[in-house]
């Protein structure tokens, strides 16, 4: 058996040859791009890719066939990306990101702003708003879509929306609305959620016949609700709205799941505490704006895109992030309405808007014809 040092030396020699051949291949790719430009030919040539894969897999032992396909598919991806950069130059998206960074250079996120918020006073969204903007003017709206519309139409410069909870998962209604509205994420915040059961003063827990709250809050308190099967569960549009409604109803046999702040606001009493399924309960809120705003402390990106319905498409995309050491913090898929088995994906990843490799990747994704819908959601800081 060969000594491990000799084996590694042989591998190093092969790697050196591969590196030289790889560089030579990319240099020739430039010539290919120029030729395609002269002929008006597309960057992607599926027939040629199939021919190459057929040839190289036939040339290796069967046990290496899968690896050969993976290796050459990666080469194809790199080659096409380089061709698009050569042919298209810097995409308008990258120019917009650079301009947004320059516009906010040396500036701080505003302390004072008019903000669209779902619900009413005492809602968790209101608490998140007050943490993000120390001096906010809050306009309350009925429902998440109304917040999107207020920002999109310029009624409010900013809007606050919950997007996911550590216990109950993503707020699917917000993700569905993200596909239909134009906006940018400019900030994000994780808020500690402390659910309590509120009822009119003098109401006892055993007297409660109905419990109301937002569906996400109800989902976060599943064990408590299961332990009280005699109480009918009623979904509401918002935790604070449910509390406000109960306070003016005159009922003494109903309760709501809401924040402790709603007790004092609406003259209710806490009749059960620590009712969430888990103590580590956080909701992530995003702050949206109509225009692209990127502040100096931005360290996170969000993009939304759709991929072709073929094997390996998602893996190829994820490998692009891995190749530049970008950490994906979230990958959310949502079905595209009206299209069978087609999905849009939301990617969150940690990166600097000044990282040239990240900007090059954004340019590549924005120009890739296989990605039918690509939307840059924003670069921002999350607290």
């Amino acid at each position: 058996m060969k000594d491990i040092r000799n084996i590694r030396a042989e591998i190093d020699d092969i790697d050196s040859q591969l590196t030289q051949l790889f560089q030579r291949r990319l240099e020739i790719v430039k010539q290919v791009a120029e030729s395609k430009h002269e002929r008006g030919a597309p960057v992607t040539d599926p027939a040629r890719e199939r021919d190459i894969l057929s040839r190289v897999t036939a040339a290796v032992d069967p046990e290496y066939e899968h690896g050969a396909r993976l290796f050459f598919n990666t080469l194809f991806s790199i080659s096409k990306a380089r061709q698009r950069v050569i042919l298209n130059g810097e995409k308008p998206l990258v120019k917009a990101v650079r301009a947004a960074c320059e516009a906010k250079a040396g500036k701080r996120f505003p302390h004072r702003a008019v903000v669209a918020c779902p619900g009413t006073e005492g809602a968790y969204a209101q608490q998140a708003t007050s943490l993000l903007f120390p001096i906010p003017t809050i306009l309350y709206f009925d429902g998440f879509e109304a917040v999107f519309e207020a920002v999109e139409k310029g009624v409010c410069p900013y809007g606050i929306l919950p997007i996911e909870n550590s216990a109950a998962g993503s707020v699917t209604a917000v993700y569905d609305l993200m596909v239909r509205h134009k906006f940018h994420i400019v900030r994000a915040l994780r808020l500690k959620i402390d659910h309590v059961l509120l009822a009119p003063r003098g109401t006892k827990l055993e007297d409660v016949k109905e419990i109301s709250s937002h569906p996400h809050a109800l989902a976060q308190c599943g064990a408590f609700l299961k332990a009280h099967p005699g109480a009918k569960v009623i979904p509401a549009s918002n935790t604070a709205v449910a509390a406000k409604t109960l306070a003016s109803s005159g009922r003494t046999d109903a309760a709501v799941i809401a924040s402790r702040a709603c007790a004092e606001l609406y003259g209710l009493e806490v009749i059960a505490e620590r009712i969430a399924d888990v103590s580590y309960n956080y909701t992530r809120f995003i702050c949206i704006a109509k225009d692209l705003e990127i502040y100096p402390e931005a360290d996170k990106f969000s993009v939304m895109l759709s991929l072709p319905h073929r094997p390996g498409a998602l893996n190829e995309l994820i490998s692009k992030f891995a190749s530049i050491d970008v950490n994906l913090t979230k990958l959310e898929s949502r079905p595209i309405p009206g299209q069978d088995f087609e999905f849009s994906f939301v990617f969150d990843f940690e990166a600097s808007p000044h990282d040239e490799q990240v900007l090059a990747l954004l340019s590549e994704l924005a120009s890739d014809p296989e990605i039918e819908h690509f939307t840059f959601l924003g670069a921002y800081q999350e607290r």
Side-chain angles (χ1 to χ4, degrees):
M1 182 179 292
K2 290 184 179 179
D3 182 80
I4 185 65
R5 288 172 295 182
N6 294 331
I7 297 173
R8 286 174 173 168
E10 189 173 348
I11 289 176
D12 290 344
D13 181 57
I14 294 172
D15 287 347
S16 295
Q17 295 178 55
L18 285 173
T19 301
Q20 294 175 17
L21 290 171
F22 175 72
Q23 181 169 322
R24 182 183 171 193
R25 194 183 199 282
L26 290 186
E27 289 169 350
I28 295 175
V29 161
K30 182 179 180 180
Q31 300 174 32
V32 172
E34 292 169 348
S35 174
K36 287 181 177 179
H37 178 66
E38 291 176 1
R39 294 183 290 112
V43 168
T44 301
D45 188 345
R48 174 161 170 76
E49 290 182 16
R50 288 195 300 270
D51 289 343
I52 293 174
L53 288 177
S54 176
R55 171 164 47 84
V56 299
T57 53
V60 299
D61 291 338
E63 65 177 307
Y64 304 131
E65 184 176 313
H66 174 73
R69 287 180 60 86
L70 178 61
F71 178 71
F72 276 88
N73 273 320
T74 302
L75 275 180
F76 296 158
S77 180
I78 295 171
S79 173
K80 288 184 287 188
R82 177 157 177 76
Q83 290 181 56
R84 293 188 188 104
V85 169
I86 293 170
L87 294 175
N88 301 326
E90 189 167 82
K91 296 293 289 183
L93 168 60
V94 175
K95 294 179 180 178
V97 170
R98 294 188 194 279
C101 289
E102 290 177 7
K104 298 299 181 182
K107 297 182 179 179
R108 297 178 61 187
F109 193 72
H111 281 205
R112 186 190 304 270
V114 179
V115 186
C117 181
T120 189
E121 195 72 20
Y124 289 111
Q126 175 262 307
Q127 296 177 38
T129 300
S130 297
L131 288 172
L132 285 172
F133 298 93
I135 312 175
T137 298
I138 302 177
L139 300 184
Y140 292 106
F141 292 85
D142 184 16
F144 300 144
E145 185 162 23
V147 172
F148 275 108
E149 291 175 348
V151 172
E152 197 171 41
K153 294 176 181 177
V155 176
C156 298
Y158 300 101
I160 298 293
L161 292 159
I163 196 166
E164 64 179 312
N165 176 264
S166 57
S170 297
V171 183
T172 56
V174 172
Y175 274 103
D176 290 340
L177 290 167
M178 287 168 69
V179 178
R180 305 209 301 262
H181 293 276
K182 295 180 180 179
F183 68 97
H184 294 94
I185 302 174
V186 297
R187 204 73 160 189
L189 170 75
R190 291 181 182 272
L191 179 70
K192 179 73 167 65
I193 303 299
D194 181 22
H195 290 311
V196 294
L197 189 68
L198 302 178
R201 296 188 184 281
T203 301
K204 296 181 180 179
L205 182 56
E206 55 267 26
D207 297 330
V208 173
K209 299 295 187 291
E210 184 178 294
I211 298 176
S212 178
S213 194
H214 187 274
H216 245 249
L218 296 173
Q220 294 162 33
C221 303
F224 176 82
L225 295 173
K226 187 177 180 180
H228 297 83
K232 184 179 179 181
V233 176
I234 305 295
S237 63
N238 183 270
T239 57
V241 169
K244 185 176 182 179
T245 301
L246 175 60
S248 60
S249 70
R251 296 183 62 177
T252 57
D253 62 344
V256 297
I257 295 175
S259 69
R260 192 178 299 273
C262 287
E264 183 177 352
L265 278 170
Y266 302 114
L268 299 173
E269 188 174 23
V270 177
I271 62 172
E273 301 188 63
R274 294 185 292 276
I275 62 174
D277 293 343
V278 295
S279 58
Y280 186 83
N281 189 13
Y282 284 81
T283 292
R284 181 178 175 227
F285 288 86
I286 55 172
C287 177
I288 63 172
K290 183 178 181 180
D291 299 323
L292 179 61
E293 298 181 9
I294 303 178
Y295 289 87
E297 62 271 21
D299 57 2
K300 192 168 189 176
F301 283 74
S302 290
V303 299
M304 182 166 53
L305 53 86
S306 61
L307 293 173
H309 188 50
R310 62 172 177 79
L314 181 57
N315 180 65
E316 289 176 17
L317 180 59
I318 292 175
S319 68
K320 295 179 187 294
F321 289 94
S323 68
I324 58 173
D325 295 323
V326 166
N327 180 37
L328 288 172
T329 58
K330 184 176 179 65
L331 169 56
E332 178 84 11
S333 65
R334 300 293 302 158
I336 300 176
Q339 300 186 39
D340 290 341
F341 303 108
E342 297 289 334
F343 294 85
S344 63
F345 296 87
V346 176
F347 286 83
D348 291 347
F349 56 95
E350 296 172 341
S352 165
H354 303 288
D355 188 326
E356 291 299 326
Q357 291 188 102
V358 172
L359 295 179
L361 176 57
L362 288 177
S363 181
E364 178 186 343
L365 297 178
S367 61
D368 189 339
E370 285 198 326
I371 299 177
E372 295 183 9
H373 305 285
F374 176 84
T375 304
F376 177 72
L377 298 178
Y380 54 94
Q381 181 190 49
E382 182 166 315
R383 293 171 50 188

